Amino acid sequence: MNSSGKGLCFESDYPIQPGSDILMKIADDMNSDYTDFETKYESQNGKVKWCRQMKRAGSRYYDIGVELIKNNNKKR
């Protein structure tokens, strides 16, 4: 995953239609070891801006570009 202040891009096994609203759970510390991921994430709303089919070593995946939508980012 890569990100900026206004959006992010991530890989998915499945396509997501541009224009779709999406709710993501993002770890507070992207460098953590994820052993306690369920307790260290924020919910973030976004809108899918683009979806590109990609290939790597014979397998297909999708790059998904998402614009982040401002919200209260309550921890859940």
Side-chain angles (χ1 to χ4, degrees):
M1 178 178 84
N2 65 44
S3 64
S4 70
K6 295 183 179 183
L8 58 87
C9 175
F10 64 91
E11 294 180 5
S12 172
D13 292 335
Y14 305 97
I16 302 175
Q17 184 70 30
S20 298
D21 292 325
I22 185 172
L23 176 64
M24 301 165 286
K25 295 179 181 178
I26 301 173
D28 289 343
D29 179 4
M30 295 306 291
N31 297 315
S32 69
D33 62 6
Y34 297 107
T35 56
D36 56 352
F37 179 77
E38 290 301 319
T39 61
K40 290 189 174 183
Y41 67 82
E42 293 182 5
S43 294
Q44 176 64 56
N45 291 313
K47 182 166 294 285
V48 175
K49 299 307 264 181
W50 48 265
C51 177
R52 298 181 188 137
Q53 186 178 42
M54 310 295 283
K55 288 184 182 181
R56 176 177 45 224
S59 65
R60 294 177 190 237
Y61 65 96
Y62 298 86
D63 269 352
I64 311 291
V66 176
E67 177 183 21
L68 299 177
I69 298 172
K70 298 280 185 198
N71 61 15
N72 292 334
N73 287 338
K74 302 253 182 197
K75 289 185 182 179
R76 299 179 186 238

